[in-house]
Amino acid sequence: MSELISAVEAVDVRFPTSLHLDGSDAMNPEPDYSAAYVTVRTSGGGEGHGLAFTVGRGNEVEVAAVRALAPLVVGLPVEEVLGDLGAFSRRLTGDSQLRWLGPEKGAVHMAAAAIVNAVWDLYGRRTGKPVWRLLSELSPEQLVDLVDFRYLEDALTREEALDILRRAEPGRAERTARLLDRGYPAYTTTPGWLGYDDEKLVRLSKEAVVEGFSLIKLKVGADLDTDVRRMRLARAAVGPDVRIAVDANQAWGVRQAIDWMRALAPYDPYWIEEPTSPDDILGHAVVRAALAPIKVATGEHTHNQVMFKQLLQARALDVLQLDASRTAGVTENVAVLLLAAKFGVPVCPHAGGVGLCEMVQHLAMFDYVAVSGTTDDRVIEYVDHLHEHFTAPVRLRDGRYLAPTTPGLGAELHPASIAAHRYPDGPVWREAATP
Amino acid sequence: MSELISAVEAVDVRFPTSLHLDGSDAMNPEPDYSAAYVTVRTSGGGEGHGLAFTVGRGNEVEVAAVRALAPLVVGLPVEEVLGDLGAFSRRLTGDSQLRWLGPEKGAVHMAAAAIVNAVWDLYGRRTGKPVWRLLSELSPEQLVDLVDFRYLEDALTREEALDILRRAEPGRAERTARLLDRGYPAYTTTPGWLGYDDEKLVRLSKEAVVEGFSLIKLKVGADLDTDVRRMRLARAAVGPDVRIAVDANQAWGVRQAIDWMRALAPYDPYWIEEPTSPDDILGHAVVRAALAPIKVATGEHTHNQVMFKQLLQARALDVLQLDASRTAGVTENVAVLLLAAKFGVPVCPHAGGVGLCEMVQHLAMFDYVAVSGTTDDRVIEYVDHLHEHFTAPVRLRDGRYLAPTTPGLGAELHPASIAAHRYPDGPVWREAATP
């Protein structure tokens, strides 16, 4: 009898990060980094782990969304699923009733991401490969089979996607070797959280340079005078050659974004991230045209490939920041990487949160080996939070992510971490509730 | 002591509509029309009812999303809430943790809609007015105070919105009287569900004309030959003077939409609704440019005002189909109506489902009285399903909605209907589960 997917489990896991204002920004003053943590099990004893990252309240809705999708998955033959992961994604995102809650956006789409990523993790474990390597060893035909072109064909056809992948094919082995040797460039958001005081900002900025980062990021958007002061301090701390990106986390309207950034321009910001509503494609295009050569970056809230398609078509962004669990996981992100390559826009994944660094590194490394073929102007976000809870945490050296070698996608939490941070009944939260 | 909001209750209510293929279309072959049904109660014994419409599976996620928002609402003073409904909406859609699941889209945004609508219902009951009339009697200043302009100002400023409302002010009384006398034009989707056979299509199309409708709608997008045959039959049935709209429910890519509609063009379709992904603003603009004078209609899946803003800025639609519970309820729909008026695009609300007809009529009638000031080329969708479950069902006469006079928003279900259709424990579903 063939091996079946026997269970899709979801757990509400939350970390009380709001206590130290880690992760504080203009729109997220007090996040409790959380995850709808998913384990997919097979009748043969296999397992895969994935998660949807959230920032606290509402994580239970995400868990409910995973449970709503689970019946579409349990009972499927494992070989059938792994043999056509494109169809598997469409099964999750295209269910004729559940898609009403999206379609392809919000809680149900993030839940699909968590399950899709868990299945890629399972696939990696079965083949003994980290997912970046698994992806990088698929043929161009296998890769384009993952993509749902229905809504993309006016920007990217199957043939164009094949061409991109075929052009990169001859260099795969060399780039794989280089990646294993040198890793992939990172940047750090650690110095710049809005809740940190000036002294901590300056100290952490200097430390970042010493640690080898060539780009740091500051949160902005709450108060202009404060932002000017912090930007000036940070620029003085890191010198003229280290890039400083700023991130408004959607705080501004279109006009306001332009005015605010002009006040920061003397300190040479490299990119402005999420200047306005993440849905405002045309607004981003206006901001970009007004602020060049300051780059516009967005993507962590871009909810699906149709939105990325338009951001690219409208020339609305310079830096595409895909996310591991906002779009529907590894599978949809293959499409996003191909779109970015078609339009020549570098991908710098969003990370931090819970397990995002662990997951997105696979996508950036696959992009380097088999899609764009370059790391020029490409960096993976790095935040030094919560890695200790993962069984295969990211490894950084000299401001670079080392290529993971552990099979799978890297999103597995230690059982003890899950038990401690289960919400609301884990000991961390029971203690927090005690006056 | 001041009156407080004392409870926000949510119930999972589902109707087994899939048994008869009512509501079947190219993307929703077998919907079970459902609602996360919300009751807001006050310490003074007041109540208001709202709902988020879904099509079955996942309704429990919507209920979970309402429950996640409820703690933001319970305990608020009623007068404070009703005195600043703009701030109340932002409280629900801007919660720094819950917004991660959107932002302003998907399950959490629809849950906000259900609560916001329940509070408008409460407001209507307290003032003894149907919501269309309540809105139509607010001053231009009070109305613009409902709008969150942060992400809109590049398309619509507060001053422009005030101008629109002030221009319409002198005619309010006359139009109110005319509305009470003649009602508001409707169109019917009843003949055109994809699951109906040719005989039923022809019979219902003819009946629609006899009933006074001047526009009917057919579902298309599953099979081209079938669509051509059905369109030909419907055109023959209604004659040349009745408008026939077609609705693809997102089934096509951009190129495919254009090709498919050119095959239907000989039968004079009035609008093509949801030709492609509802997120594809630029795609809709391409389709519209290619198919003119066939109109492009969309909106039932347009998840917030920022998306509507762009559809208007990009000249991507001819007919704006707002929805009662996709955007965040009455409050956000005031902004959508003002945007549409600014761009001169007629609003023809999406309805059907569960209680959508009951709710959207208030928005269209308010638009007529106090915003656009006209019903030219404007029609409210009508589907004759499930109205018997509501305490104040819509009333149609000669193809027109009669203006509701019952205080509130009209979304209150009969207690017996709730009890019978509770999922999964109501008798309708217990019976369905019995083999």
Side-chain angles (χ1 to χ4, degrees):
Chain A
M1 194 181 135
S2 67
E3 186 177 4
L4 305 178
I5 293 182
S6 54
V8 174
E9 299 163 4
V11 186
D12 188 336
V13 179
R14 308 192 191 189
F15 300 90
T17 46
S18 62
L19 298 179
H20 304 286
L21 300 184
D22 301 335
S24 54
D25 64 48
M27 298 294 262
N28 306 290
E30 296 178 302
D32 285 322
Y33 281 180
S34 303
Y37 181 71
V38 172
T39 300
V40 168
R41 298 189 191 282
T42 78
S43 58
E47 62 182 61
H49 305 279
L51 60 83
F53 168 61
T54 80
V55 295
R57 284 185 293 280
N59 200 49
E60 76 281 14
V61 178
E62 206 49 62
V63 168
V66 171
R67 289 178 182 154
L69 288 168
L72 304 176
V73 177
V74 173
L76 295 178
V78 174
E79 290 308 320
E80 187 184 308
V81 168
L82 302 185
D84 192 349
L85 282 163
F88 180 70
S89 275
R90 289 192 293 278
R91 184 181 182 84
L92 292 180
T93 63
D95 177 75
S96 72
Q97 295 189 353
L98 281 158
R99 74 185 297 281
W100 190 269
L101 302 192
E104 299 182 48
K105 62 179 65 68
V108 289
H109 208 53
M110 293 161 70
I115 296 173
V116 165
N117 284 340
V119 167
W120 276 98
D121 185 56
L122 172 73
Y123 195 7
R125 288 162 189 259
R126 284 168 84 91
T127 55
K129 297 173 191 171
V131 167
W132 71 267
R133 190 137 193 185
L134 169 60
L135 284 167
S136 299
E137 293 176 3
L138 294 179
S139 70
E141 290 74 15
Q142 288 174 307
L143 288 166
V144 297
D145 282 347
L146 297 171
V147 177
D148 183 352
F149 284 97
R150 170 158 51 168
Y151 295 140
L152 301 186
E153 283 176 329
D154 57 321
L156 177 75
T157 66
R158 185 182 163 90
E159 278 309 309
E160 289 172 326
L162 276 172
D163 283 350
I164 290 165
L165 294 163
R166 285 178 181 145
R167 276 200 305 276
E169 216 174 359
R172 284 184 180 189
E174 188 197 330
R175 287 190 295 270
T176 299
R178 197 177 307 166
L179 195 56
L180 289 166
D181 185 39
R182 304 188 204 166
Y184 193 106
Y187 77 91
T188 177
T189 307
T190 298
W193 299 111
L194 221 48
Y196 291 178
D197 63 25
D198 288 355
E199 182 280 322
K200 192 167 182 179
L201 165 71
V202 168
R203 176 168 52 81
L204 293 176
S205 296
K206 288 180 175 169
E207 284 176 18
V209 177
V210 172
E211 286 165 18
F213 293 103
S214 58
L215 190 156
I216 67 169
K217 190 164 81 185
L218 307 191
K219 298 293 184 174
V220 296
D223 177 76
L224 180 57
D225 291 340
T226 303
D227 288 350
V228 170
R229 187 185 75 248
R230 286 161 53 87
M231 187 78 194
R232 191 179 63 235
L233 289 169
R235 176 55 72 203
V238 303
D241 297 332
V242 170
R243 290 173 173 171
I244 305 179
V246 297
D247 183 355
N249 292 89
Q250 316 165 28
W252 304 320
V254 171
R255 187 71 242 166
Q256 190 184 16
I258 294 166
D259 293 343
W260 199 298
M261 284 307 298
R262 285 188 174 148
L264 298 183
Y267 308 100
D268 193 20
Y270 181 65
W271 78 52
I272 169 59
E273 180 171 334
E274 291 203 309
T276 187
S277 163
D279 293 333
D280 198 348
I281 295 153
L282 301 178
H284 278 79
V286 170
V287 171
R288 179 171 179 260
L291 291 180
I294 300 171
K295 297 178 188 299
V296 168
T298 195
E300 72 183 82
H301 286 87
T302 303
H303 52 265
N304 62 37
Q305 60 184 20
V306 174
M307 295 300 282
F308 276 119
K309 177 186 78 165
Q310 293 175 87
L311 283 164
L312 293 162
Q313 287 174 316
R315 310 279 164 191
L317 83 178
D318 301 282
V319 176
L320 189 154
Q321 301 177 301
L322 62 74
D323 182 273
S325 64
R326 176 72 60 182
T327 50
V330 170
T331 312
E332 188 169 8
N333 273 321
V334 169
V336 173
L337 290 170
L338 287 164
L339 281 166
K342 162 79 187 289
F343 285 86
V345 169
V347 174
C348 300
H350 168 246
V354 179
L356 300 183
C357 299
E358 278 71 17
M359 291 189 282
V360 297
Q361 61 179 339
H362 293 273
L363 299 164
M365 292 178 188
F366 159 64
D367 176 65
Y368 170 58
V369 173
V371 186
S372 74
T374 178
T375 59
D376 290 354
D377 290 328
R378 285 157 172 84
V379 274
I380 306 171
E381 184 165 19
Y382 176 68
V383 187
D384 63 355
H385 298 160
L386 307 177
H387 300 291
E388 66 275 19
H389 298 294
F390 287 88
T391 60
V394 292
R395 298 170 302 151
L396 261 78
R397 195 171 62 203
D398 302 334
R400 300 172 75 89
Y401 277 84
L402 299 185
T405 54
T406 308
L409 190 60
E412 187 184 14
L413 285 166
H414 286 297
S417 292
I418 300 170
H421 296 90
R422 273 181 82 106
Y423 185 89
D425 57 330
V428 165
W429 292 103
R430 283 206 312 273
E431 280 165 32
T434 310
Chain B
M1 193 180 136
S2 67
E3 185 176 4
L4 304 178
I5 294 182
S6 55
V8 176
E9 300 163 3
V11 186
D12 187 337
V13 179
R14 307 192 191 189
F15 299 90
T17 46
S18 63
L19 297 179
H20 303 287
L21 299 184
D22 300 334
S24 54
D25 64 47
M27 299 294 264
N28 306 289
E30 295 177 303
D32 285 322
Y33 281 179
S34 303
Y37 181 70
V38 171
T39 300
V40 168
R41 297 190 193 281
T42 78
S43 57
E47 61 183 61
H49 304 278
L51 60 83
F53 168 62
T54 80
V55 296
R57 284 184 293 281
N59 200 48
E60 75 281 14
V61 178
E62 207 47 63
V63 168
V66 171
R67 290 179 181 155
L69 288 169
L72 304 176
V73 178
V74 173
L76 295 178
V78 174
E79 290 309 319
E80 185 184 310
V81 168
L82 301 186
D84 191 350
L85 282 163
F88 180 71
S89 275
R90 289 192 293 278
R91 183 179 181 86
L92 292 180
T93 63
D95 178 75
S96 71
Q97 295 190 353
L98 281 158
R99 74 186 295 282
W100 190 269
L101 302 191
E104 299 181 50
K105 60 179 67 69
V108 288
H109 208 53
M110 293 160 69
I115 295 173
V116 165
N117 285 340
V119 167
W120 276 98
D121 185 55
L122 172 72
Y123 194 7
R125 288 163 189 259
R126 284 168 84 91
T127 54
K129 297 173 191 171
V131 167
W132 71 267
R133 190 135 194 189
L134 169 61
L135 284 168
S136 299
E137 293 176 3
L138 293 179
S139 70
E141 291 72 16
Q142 287 173 309
L143 288 166
V144 297
D145 282 346
L146 296 171
V147 177
D148 183 354
F149 285 97
R150 169 154 57 166
Y151 296 141
L152 299 187
E153 283 176 328
D154 57 321
L156 177 75
T157 65
R158 184 183 164 90
E159 278 309 309
E160 289 171 327
L162 276 173
D163 283 349
I164 290 165
L165 292 164
R166 286 178 182 147
R167 275 201 305 275
E169 216 174 359
R172 283 183 180 189
E174 187 196 331
R175 287 190 296 271
T176 298
R178 198 176 306 166
L179 196 55
L180 288 167
D181 184 42
R182 303 189 206 167
Y184 193 106
Y187 77 91
T188 177
T189 307
T190 298
W193 300 110
L194 220 48
Y196 291 177
D197 64 25
D198 289 353
E199 182 279 323
K200 192 167 183 179
L201 164 71
V202 168
R203 175 168 51 82
L204 293 176
S205 297
K206 289 180 175 169
E207 283 175 18
V209 178
V210 171
E211 287 164 19
F213 293 101
S214 58
L215 191 156
I216 67 169
K217 191 163 82 185
L218 307 190
K219 298 293 184 175
V220 297
D223 177 77
L224 180 56
D225 291 340
T226 302
D227 288 349
V228 170
R229 187 186 74 248
R230 286 161 52 87
M231 187 76 195
R232 193 179 61 233
L233 289 169
R235 177 55 72 203
V238 302
D241 297 330
V242 169
R243 289 173 173 171
I244 305 179
V246 298
D247 183 354
N249 291 88
Q250 318 164 25
W252 304 320
V254 171
R255 186 73 241 164
Q256 191 184 16
I258 294 166
D259 292 344
W260 200 295
M261 284 307 298
R262 285 187 173 148
L264 299 183
Y267 308 100
D268 193 19
Y270 181 64
W271 78 53
I272 169 59
E273 179 171 333
E274 292 204 308
T276 187
S277 163
D279 293 332
D280 199 346
I281 295 153
L282 303 177
H284 279 78
V286 171
V287 170
R288 179 170 180 262
L291 291 179
I294 301 171
K295 298 179 187 297
V296 168
T298 195
E300 72 184 81
H301 286 87
T302 303
H303 52 265
N304 62 36
Q305 61 184 20
V306 174
M307 296 299 283
F308 276 119
K309 176 186 78 165
Q310 294 175 87
L311 283 163
L312 293 163
Q313 288 174 317
R315 310 278 162 191
L317 82 178
D318 300 283
V319 176
L320 189 153
Q321 302 176 302
L322 60 74
D323 182 273
S325 64
R326 176 72 61 183
T327 50
V330 170
T331 313
E332 188 169 7
N333 273 321
V334 170
V336 173
L337 290 171
L338 287 164
L339 281 165
K342 162 79 187 285
F343 286 86
V345 169
V347 173
C348 299
H350 168 245
V354 179
L356 300 183
C357 300
E358 278 70 18
M359 291 188 282
V360 298
Q361 61 179 338
H362 293 274
L363 299 164
M365 292 178 188
F366 160 63
D367 177 65
Y368 170 58
V369 173
V371 187
S372 74
T374 177
T375 60
D376 289 354
D377 289 330
R378 286 156 171 85
V379 274
I380 305 171
E381 185 166 18
Y382 175 68
V383 187
D384 63 354
H385 296 159
L386 306 177
H387 301 290
E388 66 275 20
H389 298 293
F390 288 87
T391 59
V394 292
R395 298 170 302 149
L396 272 277
R397 194 172 63 202
D398 301 334
R400 300 172 75 90
Y401 277 83
L402 298 186
T405 53
T406 308
L409 191 61
E412 186 183 14
L413 285 166
H414 285 297
S417 291
I418 300 170
H421 296 90
R422 274 181 80 107
Y423 185 88
D425 57 330
V428 166
W429 292 104
R430 283 207 311 274
E431 281 165 30
T434 310

